[in-house]
Each structure stands twice: as structure tokens, then as C-alpha cells.
């Protein structure tokens, strides 16, 4: 160790307070980097485990394969496990008490399927040969039958076929609910074969069984040797390694065994949690967002550590000058600062990594139970540590410390002996440099002028504080905008599903009033909407009023216009009076105007989400360019004669982007959604005899499954579509992401406040002699505090001046990154900006007052006698 290194270590040990502050600041920075990296990995790990627990584990699926193809797939180097599965068929369930579930649906898996797909045994074991079967507990409960291990079950198993006027439409699966018409079942089971099974166990109803499925699940056994031409199976593959190369490899394997791409699929929902996507736009979005967020984290860390080293070098100015006077070279002085950074790093990086991991571990331990209950998830958040995440944290921390020490090191190398001993490097005393406007004294008093002169005279420390504040503003606003963007993207991708259960009347288009009251009065139903819907109307729209995507289509092919107009599909829906009232109040209009039958008025939704197939992204668009008060002429299309019959005109009462319960925004670029009262809707239909409408009842329930069972027990013939499971999963995903993001915001906020307090406190501490001099000249305590308050205002305004434009620029970069996958309008988070403006002045003022309170009792004479604080 050379003499410069020894002197550096001695300086660090003698200035324990400053060294400790620097070490703590660096530990906080490293802990933040480690915590964020670990949080991301742990979050993705939770999502992987939860998805596997709910839906099973597989990465690639090959459809309808034979025995030879199954062997090739199983022997492939990339294959870890192969899961064989098939739909054995349907059989009638005798004594079924649920008229919407008259079947047993028999699924078959090999041994790997039982291991990797979520099926919970209540009793017994899983099948080990094709003559054994396990039954869903719902079969026993709803059919009021009793089976035990060892019982024989004989079934007539066949294909489920839909009937249409006596003809068969083709086989259908569990995704299709039971078809009824005129209170009769319009489907049958054909091509039946007798199958006898031994019951070997009872399982819970599988999570992958749709709530509206007409068949209760039973599971039997299969393997490659049981595959035949008449009963091919699907092969779901768990890969040894999950990365982007899997897509090309799977396609090559499918081509090798003679499968077309249409018989190959990927588990996109699970793969996205591995950070793998075949969608180039989505991958670009993920990487660009990750890069921007990491850059913001590094910037915040650099600000935190840089301030500590910059202040340290400022304090060591005289020390470095003295070294220069006895022959120290620029290189030695520069390396002295780098060595200080290395020493700080050797202590802080291991401590920071351990602190970050411990902090995340404690956080998970505290919130796990509440988190599971609130989110209704079975898996726990666990700290996942990977060599890559630790190595990444170390590399980023080393890079951060190097960047943080580079500028102070350069500054140290340039300090001359005379300037350092006189301490003139940080103080600017030229008349121009400290000149202030006369308006400052006139409007704010001499205290404001002195405060502003202090800032100008101590420009370096002032810039450090402003930089710290500006970075804190950027950190908070960027992460807040990122959160809003994620929520917006989730809304777009999930289709804004806002209900749990959809009900339609079987055999008739309308519900009777008694049925509606019976269903909506069930225990657990929290709210409902009753909507009549028709897709029969055409709306002719002038070229100038078309949506942007349609204008592009018109430019490419003007022939799609009819006499300068484009035929929109007008999805006109009627809301019952109660739903209409709530909807009108939500969008801020008078509901009574919509009930006027003499002047038909409507609410038009002028925004929608559609999938741009060519660009491979989801887009939010303005569907039509019009305004309230305009009239829309509706036509009924006679497709047989290819003519349009005028129906009526409705006046636009309001344009909105809000949708009533039960309606989603999808439909395409040439579709517009219109909502009217039941009376207006009836008048529209009465003008056209062939127009047919259907009525839908949408429910939200605190207990959706129990509500469904209660409806099924009623005598009314209805179709029930319970989608709460998929909706719940979407909401869970958004909430989990929000927990991660808002946790990050909390961490950023705490670190930013610590950064600001540290910077201002140190700056005030270094100005003790200056304050003592002002007090010795007669400045009162009141004037002193007034001066400090004005300095706080100057700090706040300057930091906002730099921080807000920079934040907006980075937010726009994030927005552009999201545009690779989702398309929507750029909107600033005005509420977050307001919070930041208020918070900046509160934090700066608090930091100033806290720092002043620490030196307010110092003796003026003793302070003036001190050479170096």
C-alpha cells in the first residue's frame, strides 16, 4: 500500500461521520439495486408457480399426434418431460340434478400429466391403466350418487354434437355450454362405445374446467402405446431450457414429424413470466422498458453516491492541496479519490447486497399471509436468489460507484495548492456571479436577497442539492407513469371485463320480470345490468368522420366507400331504467333526456380497443369523429336483397369512453356502440319486422360459484357463463404488478428523501461559519428563518425547472416503448405531478428546518474560530 492510499484511509478513519454517511448512502444504493433485481425475479417466480398451480406446467404443445410422433418428441434433446392428454369423450350422467350439466366429460393423461397438471386428490389414487378412473367430487354431490374405490362404472362414451334443424353441426368441447332452444336440449352424443372403469379416487373440481362446461370432469389414463388413428392425443412438452430459441426448435421439430404450424401452440401465458415471447414487438417493449427503468435506478444511485463523494472531496480540498504542495501529482490525487471509492465499495457492496436481500425477505415474511388472503393465491412470495442477479447487482454497483467518483476525482486532480489552501474553488465572489435582481429585495425583502446570494456564492453545493432533488422528481414521476402505463396496457389487453356472470334466456329472446327479480335477489349478488342487444343496424358515416384506421384503409382502397360514406356496424343496446340511470349519472348527463320517446337520444361510445394484426399490437382508437347534438341515421340491412332500409335517426346526447356493466370495448374499427332506453329501442325494432334482439343479464357477485349454483337450482331455463375465474386472474396479475411497482415507488421515495436530507444537512453543516457571521452582524432569528425559507423555495423551483421537463422526456420514451405492443394516447400523470410539486417544497423545507435545528444552539464565536467543519 503506497503513501497516498495510507493517507486516504487515515482521512476516512479520522472523518468518521463523513465516512459513515458515505458508506450508508452507498449501502442504500446497492441495497436498492439488489432489492429491485431480487423483487423482479421473485415476482416472476411467483407468477410462474401460481400459473403452474392453476393451469399446469408445459411450454410447447403438439396437437393430434400419433404414436411415432410422440416417440420422436419424447426422444428430442430439448424435451424434459412429455405430457400426453386427450378428450376421451362424453357420457350421460344419470340422476344429474343440474340440468345445465347432464354429462360426464372424460379426460385422459399419462403419468406426467397427473404430476404436472393441477388435480387435487381427495381420496384414493390416480389411474395407472386405461381401465381406471378418478371422478370429480361434483359428480357425487350434484348427481346424488356414491362411488368408492373399487366400484365399477360402465359408461357409453361418444362425441358431443350440436343439432340445428335436425342436422348435426359437428363435435364440440368443454368450451361450449349446453345448447337449448324452446326449453329443449339441442345436442346429442353420437358414436358411442361402452367403456368400463374401476373408480380409484375422487378429485376436486379441476381449475381448468370452465364454469359453464356441460360435463363434470373424470380423468382416466393413457400412454403412447394406447394412441390409435381414431384417438390421437396432444403432447404438451416441458423443456429443459426455456429461451427464445425454443420457438424455432419447436417449429423445426413439428416440420420433422409432419405437423403443420396450425397444430403447434405455445403456453404464452406462462412463457411471458420467463421473459420469453415470440412477439417481436412485445419483446422489444419488455427490453426497452427494462433498460429505461434500470437507467433510472442507476441515475438515482449515482445521484445518491455522487453527492457523498462530491462533499467528501470538498471537505478534503485543503488536504489535497497540501499534498499537491509537497509534490503529489494529478494522477495520485485522482487515484486517491478512486481508491476511496474502492474502499467504500468493498465495505458497502457486500453489506448492501445482504441488506437488500434481508429487506426483501422481511417484507415478504410480513406481507405473505395478508397477500395470499387478499389475492386468493395459493403460492407464497419467496426470495429467489440467482447468481446472475447477484452478479448484475455487483456490476451495476461497481459501475455506479465508478461514475459517482469520476467527476470528484477529476476535480481533485485539478486542485492547485494555493486554491485549495485558500478554499476558493467552491466560492464565487465576482460581482456578476452574485448579482441579484432588485425585484427580489423589493418583493421578498433583504432576507430573500441574502439567501439568493448565498446560493450563488456556494454554487457548487447548490447545484448538488438541486441535482439531487431533480433526480428524485424524475425517479418518482417516471415510476408513477410506468405504473399507469402498465395498468392501461392491462386494461387494453384484458378487454375491460367488468362482470362475473352472463346469463341468457334459453328458448326465448327476453327474460320475464319474475326471473330477473329472482336472480338479482339472490344472496351474494352485488349489482346487475339488463341489456337488450342487436347487431342488425347499419350506420352510414361520412369520410371526414371516420376513425383513423378506416381513413388509412380508404386511402389504400377508395372503393370501400359508398357515395362518400362508410357503413359502420351499429351495435345498439337497450339498458333497463335502473341501469340507464346509473350509467347516465356515471358519465354526467340527465337520464330523463334519454327516456324521451319523441326525440330519441343515445349515448355513443367513441373509443374502442382493437388488434392491429399487421403491426402486431393492440390499439386504442377514436371510433368516430362526431359531437353531441348530431343525428345518426340508422338502417337495417336486408342481406338477401342487398338493400338498406331506413329505420330511424337518434340524436347523440353524449360521447363517452365509459361502458356499462357487461359491455366490452372490442369489435373492430368499423363498429360503434350505441346505448338507448328500452322504450327507444322497442320503437327502433318495431320499425323493422326482421330485426331480432337478445337480452342479457350481467351480474357481479361476492360468491360467483355459489350464485351460479343457486341459479342452476331454479326452474328457469337460462344459459350461464361464469367468467369470474379469468377475470380474477387478470385482476390478480394487475394487483401483483401494482404491489411490485408501488413497493418500488415507496423504496424510491424513502431513498430520495434520505438523499435530500443528507445533501441539505451536509450543505448546512458546511455553512456554519457563514451563518455565524450573519448572526454576528445582527441578523435576528426570525430573519434567519425567513432567509432559509426563501432558500428552500429557490431550491424547489430550480429542481422543478430541471426535473419536470426531464421526467416528461423519459415518460415519453417509456410511452414510445409501450407503443411497440399497445397503442394509446400519451397522457401526463397530472395528479402525480401535483403531488411531486407539493412534496418537493415540504421535503426541502423540512430538511432545511431539521438541519438548522442541529446548528441553532452553536456558539457564534466558537463557530467562527473553526477552520474546517
Amino acid at each position: 500500500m503506497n503513501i497516498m492510499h495510507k493517507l486516504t484511509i487515515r482521512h476516512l478513519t479520522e472523518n468518521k461521520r463523513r465516512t459513515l454517511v458515505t458508506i450508508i448512502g452507498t449501502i442504500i444504493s446497492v441495497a436498492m439495486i439488489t432489492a429491485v433485481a431480487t423483487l423482479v425475479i421473485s415476482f416472476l417466480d411467483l407468477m410462474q408457480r401460481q400459473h403452474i398451480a392453476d393451469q399446469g406446467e408445459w411450454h410447447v404443445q403438439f396437437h393430434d399426434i400419433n404414436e411415432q410422433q410422440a416417440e420422436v418428441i419424447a426422444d428430442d434433446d430439448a424435451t424434459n418431460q412429455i405430457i400426453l392428454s386427450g378428450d376421451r369423450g362424453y357420457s350421460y350422467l344419470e340422476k344429474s340434478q343440474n340440468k345445465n350439466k347432464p354429462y360426464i366429460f372424460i379426460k385422459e393423461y399419462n403419468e406426467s400429466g397427473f404430476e404436472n397438471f393441477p388435480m387435487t386428490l381427495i381420496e384414493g389414487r390416480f389411474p395407472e391403466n386405461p381401465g381406471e378412473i378418478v371422478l370429480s367430487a361434483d359428480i357425487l354431490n350434484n348427481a346424488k350418487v356414491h362411488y368408492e374405490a373399487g366400484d365399477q362404472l360402465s359408461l357409453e362414451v361418444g362425441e358431443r354434437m350440436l343439432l340445428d334443424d335436425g342436422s348435426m353441426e359437428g363435435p364440440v368441447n368443454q368450451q361450449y355450454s349446453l345448447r337449448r332452444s324452446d326449453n329443449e336440449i339441442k345436442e346429442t352424443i353420437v358414436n358411442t362405445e361402452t367403456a368400463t372403469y374401476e373408480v380409484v379416487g375422487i378429485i376436486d373440481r379441476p381449475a381448468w374446467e370452465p364454469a359453464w362446461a356441460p360435463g363434470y370432469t373424470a380423468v382416466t389414463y393413457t400412454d403412447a402405446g394406447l394412441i390409435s388413428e381414431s384417438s390421437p392425443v396432444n403432447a404438451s412438452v416441458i423443456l429443459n431450457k426455456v429461451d427464445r430459441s425454443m420457438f424455432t426448435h419447436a417449429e423445426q421439430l413439428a416440420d420433422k414429424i409432419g405437423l403443420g404450424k396450425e397444430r403447434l401452440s405455445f403456453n404464452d401465458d406462462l412463457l411471458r413470466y420467463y421473459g420469453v415471447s415470440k412477439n417481436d414487438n412485445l419483446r422489444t417493449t419488455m427490453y426497452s422498458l427494462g433498460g429505461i427503468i434500470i437507467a433510472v435506478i442507476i441515475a438515482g444511485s449515482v445521484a445518491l453516491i455522487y453527492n457523498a463523494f462530491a462533499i467528501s472531496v470538498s471537505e478534503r480540498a485543503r488536504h489535497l492541496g497540501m499534498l499537491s504542495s509537497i509534490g503529489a501529482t494529478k494522477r495520485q490525487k485522482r487515484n486517491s479519490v478512486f481508491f476511496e471509492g474502492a474502499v467504500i465499495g468493498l465495505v458497502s457492496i457486500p453489506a448492501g447486497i445482504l441488506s437488500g436481500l434481508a429487506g426483501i425477505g422481511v417484507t415478504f415474511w410480513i406481507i405473505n399471509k395478508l397477500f395470499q388472503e387478499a389475492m386468493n393465491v395459493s403460492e407464497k412470495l419467496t426470495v429467489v436468489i440467482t447468481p446472475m442477479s447477484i452478479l448484475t447487482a455487483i456490476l451495476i454497483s461497481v459501475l455506479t460507484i465508478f461514475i459517482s467518483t469520476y467527476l470528484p476525482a477529476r476535480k481533485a486532480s485539478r486542485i492547485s495548492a494555493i486554491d485549495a489552501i485558500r478554499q476558493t474553488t467552491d466560492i464565487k465572489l465576482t460581482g456578476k456571479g452574485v448579482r441579484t435582481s432588485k425585484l427580489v429585495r423589493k418583493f421578498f425583502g433583504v432576507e430573500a436577497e441574502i439567501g439568493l446570494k448565498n446560493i450563488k456564492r456556494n454554487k457548487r453545493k447548490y447545484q448538488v442539492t438541486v441535482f439531487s432533488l431533480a433526480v428524485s422528481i424524475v425517479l418518482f414521476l417516471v415510476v408513477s407513469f410506468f405504473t399507469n402505463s402498465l395498468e392501461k396496457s392491462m386494461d387494453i389487453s384484458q378487454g375491460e371485463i367488468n362482470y362475473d356472470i352472463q346469463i341468457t334466456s334459453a328458448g326465448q329472446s327476453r327474460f320475464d320480470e319474475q326471473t330477473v327479480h329472482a336472480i338479482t335477489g339472490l344472496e351474494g349478488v352485488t349489482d346487475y345490468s339488463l341489456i337488450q342487444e342487436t347487431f342488425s343496424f347499419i350506420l352510414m358515416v361520412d369520410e371526414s368522420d371516420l376513425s383513423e384506421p378506416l381513413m388509412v384503409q380508404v386511402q389504400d382502397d377508395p372503393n370501400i366507400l359508398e357515395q362518400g360514406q362508410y357503413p359502420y356496424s351499429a351495435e345498439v343496446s337497450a339498458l333497463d331504467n335502473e341501469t340507464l340511470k346509473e350509467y347516465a349519472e356515471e358519465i354526467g348527463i340527465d337520464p330523463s333526456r334519454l327516456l324521451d320517446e319523441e326525440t330519441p337520444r343515445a349515448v355513443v361510445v367513441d373509443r374502442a380497443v382493437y388488434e392491429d394484426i399487421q403491426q402486431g399490437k393492440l390499439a386504442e382508437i377514436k371510433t368516430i369523429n362526431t359531437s353531441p347534438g348530431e343525428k345518426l341515421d340508422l338502417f337495417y340491412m336486408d342481406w338477401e336483397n342487398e338493400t338498406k332500409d331506413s329505420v330511424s335517426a337518434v340524436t347523440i346526447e353524449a360521447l363517452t369512453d365509459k361502458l356499462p356493466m357487461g359491455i366490452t370495448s372490442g369489435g373492430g374499427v368499423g363498429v360503434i356502440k350505441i346505448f338507448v332506453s328500452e322504450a327507444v329501442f322497442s320503437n327502433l325494432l318495431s320499425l323493422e319486422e326482421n330485426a331480432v334482439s337478445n337480452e342479457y343479464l350481467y351480474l357481479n357477485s361476492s360468491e360467483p360459484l355459489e350464485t351460479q349454483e343457486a341459479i342452476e337450482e331454479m326452474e328457469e331455463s337460462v344459459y350461464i357463463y361464469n367468467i369470474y375465474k379469468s377475470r380474477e386472474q387478470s385482476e390478480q396479475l394487475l394487483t401483483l404488478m401494482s404491489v411490485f411497482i408501488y413497493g418500488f415507488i415507496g423504496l424510491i421515495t424513502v431513498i430520495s428523501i434520505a438523499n435530500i436530507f443528507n445533501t441539505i444537512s451536509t450543505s448546512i453543516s458546511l455553512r456554519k461559519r457563514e451563518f455565524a457571521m450573519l448572526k454576528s452582524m445582527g441578523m435576528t432569528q426570525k430573519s434567519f428563518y425567513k432567509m432559509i425559507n426563501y432558500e428552500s423555495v429557490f431550491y424547489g423551483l430550480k429542481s422543478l425547472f430541471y426535473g419536470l421537463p426531464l421526467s416528461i422526456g423519459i415518460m415519453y420514451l417509456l410511452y414510445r416503448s409501450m407503443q411497440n405492443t399497445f397503442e394509446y394516447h400519451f397522457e401526463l400523470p397530472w395528479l402525480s405531478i401535483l403531488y411531486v410539486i407539493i412534496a418537493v417544497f415540504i421535503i426541502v423545507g423540512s430538511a432545511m428546518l431539521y438541519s438548522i435545528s442541529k446548528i441553532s444552539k452553536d456558539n457564534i464565536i466558537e463557530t467562527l474560530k473553526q477552520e474546517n467543519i
Side-chain angles (χ1 to χ4, degrees), residues 301-316:
S301 302
V302 168
L304 185 63
I305 301 174
Y306 169 79
N307 289 342
F309 280 104
I311 293 169
S312 177
V313 170
S314 180
E315 290 181 342
R316 293 177 60 192

Side-chain angles (χ1 to χ4, degrees), residues 194-481:
T194 302
T196 302
Y197 300 99
E198 178 185 350
V199 178
V200 295
I202 305 298
I203 61 173
D204 278 330
R205 176 178 178 172
W208 36 265
E209 178 189 300
W212 57 85
Y216 293 108
T217 300
V219 185
T220 186
Y221 178 86
T222 190
D223 59 32
L226 298 172
I227 302 174
S228 65
E229 291 185 6
S230 60
S231 58
V233 298
N234 298 330
S236 303
V237 178
I238 301 176
L239 300 173
N240 288 312
K241 185 178 180 181
V242 178
D243 56 29
R244 182 163 169 75
S245 65
M246 59 173 285
F247 298 111
T248 302
H249 181 80
E251 290 173 356
Q252 291 173 347
L253 181 59
D255 185 61
K256 177 181 177 181
I257 62 178
L259 291 182
K261 289 185 179 180
E262 70 278 0
R263 290 164 65 184
L264 175 68
S265 62
F266 300 93
N267 193 348
D268 295 324
D269 290 338
L270 178 59
L271 292 176
R272 71 163 60 101
Y273 302 132
Y274 285 92
V276 176
S277 173
K278 193 176 181 181
N279 187 325
D280 290 333
N281 289 334
L282 181 59
R283 191 175 71 259
T284 301
T285 299
M286 291 166 60
Y287 288 154
S288 58
L289 286 176
I292 293 171
I293 292 298
I294 290 174
V296 170
I297 292 172
I298 293 177
S301 302
V302 168
L304 185 63
I305 301 174
Y306 169 79
N307 289 342
F309 280 104
I311 293 169
S312 177
V313 170
S314 180
E315 290 181 342
R316 293 177 60 192
R318 177 172 291 192
H319 169 74
L320 293 170
M322 292 171 63
L323 292 175
S324 181
S325 69
I326 59 175
T329 65
K330 288 185 176 181
R331 182 178 179 182
Q332 286 176 318
K333 290 185 289 182
R334 182 183 67 242
N335 289 346
S336 173
V337 179
F338 282 136
F339 180 73
E340 179 181 340
V343 172
I344 296 295
L346 286 174
V347 175
S348 303
I349 290 177
I353 290 174
L354 292 175
S355 299
L357 295 176
I360 289 295
V362 171
T363 301
F364 287 175
W365 180 75
I366 292 173
I367 70 170
N368 245 325
K369 186 174 181 180
L370 294 174
F371 183 78
Q372 286 182 294
E373 292 177 355
M375 294 302 304
N376 193 28
V377 293
S378 58
E379 301 300 308
K380 290 184 178 181
L381 280 165
T382 57
V383 177
V384 178
I385 304 172
T386 64
M388 184 57 67
S389 65
I390 298 299
L391 181 62
T392 301
I394 292 173
L395 292 177
I396 292 177
S397 300
V398 169
L399 177 64
T400 299
I401 292 174
F402 174 76
I403 296 172
S404 303
T405 56
Y406 179 72
L407 291 178
R410 285 188 59 192
K411 178 184 175 183
S413 68
R414 296 175 179 177
I415 296 176
S416 67
I418 295 176
D419 286 342
I421 293 171
R422 292 174 60 194
Q423 291 186 313
T424 59
T425 55
D426 287 335
I427 308 298
K428 306 298 181 184
L429 293 175
T430 62
K432 183 178 180 181
V434 297
R435 184 179 300 152
T436 59
S437 172
K438 293 180 181 180
L439 296 176
V440 175
R441 175 180 287 195
K442 181 176 180 181
F443 287 105
F444 303 107
V446 68
E447 295 86 356
E449 184 178 19
I450 295 173
L452 186 56
K453 285 182 180 292
N454 283 335
I455 289 175
K456 289 177 175 288
R457 192 166 64 249
N458 296 276
K459 196 169 185 180
R460 182 72 62 183
K461 298 182 182 68
Y462 160 69
Q463 289 174 339
V464 168
T465 306
V466 169
F467 174 71
S468 176
L469 278 166
V471 169
S472 301
I473 291 169
V474 171
L475 287 172
F476 183 85
L477 286 181
V478 167
V479 175
S480 178
F481 179 81

Side-chain angles (χ1 to χ4, degrees), residues 539 541 545 568 583-590 593-594 601-608 621-632 650-660 671-675:
L539 176 65
V541 178
D545 294 334
Y568 270 70
Y583 182 53
E585 291 175 351
E586 182 183 4
I587 62 177
I589 62 174
D590 182 4
R593 292 177 61 82
L594 295 174
R601 293 185 174 89
V603 176
V604 174
V605 177
D606 63 347
R607 291 195 180 276
I621 61 166
K622 188 176 179 64
T623 55
I624 187 171
N625 293 299
T626 185
S627 57
E630 295 291 326
K631 288 190 175 182
L632 303 177
V650 294
T651 302
I652 301 175
E653 180 66 20
L655 295 168
T656 182
D657 60 351
K658 298 183 183 299
L659 293 162
V671 178
I672 187 169
K673 296 182 183 293
I674 301 174
F675 299 100

Side-chain angles (χ1 to χ4, degrees), residues 539-560:
L539 176 65
M540 302 304 296
V541 178
D542 292 336
E543 180 180 357
S544 59
D545 294 334
L546 299 180
S547 64
E548 186 175 341
L550 282 178
M551 287 185 176
V552 173
Q553 292 182 22
V554 169
Q555 291 175 359
D556 295 337
D557 182 13
N559 293 326
I560 63 175

Side-chain angles (χ1 to χ4, degrees), residues 695-712:
E695 195 165 44
Y696 301 88
L697 179 61
Y698 298 95
L699 306 177
N700 275 326
S701 173
S702 57
E703 299 290 344
L705 286 178
E706 285 79 354
T707 299
Q708 178 183 347
E709 291 177 1
I711 296 172
E712 289 173 347

Side-chain angles (χ1 to χ4, degrees), residues 658-684:
K658 298 183 183 299
L659 293 162
M661 177 181 166
I663 303 296
T664 57
S665 61
V669 296
V671 178
I672 187 169
K673 296 182 183 293
I674 301 174
F675 299 100
V676 297
S677 67
E678 289 183 315
V680 171
F681 189 69
S682 297
N683 288 339
L684 290 175

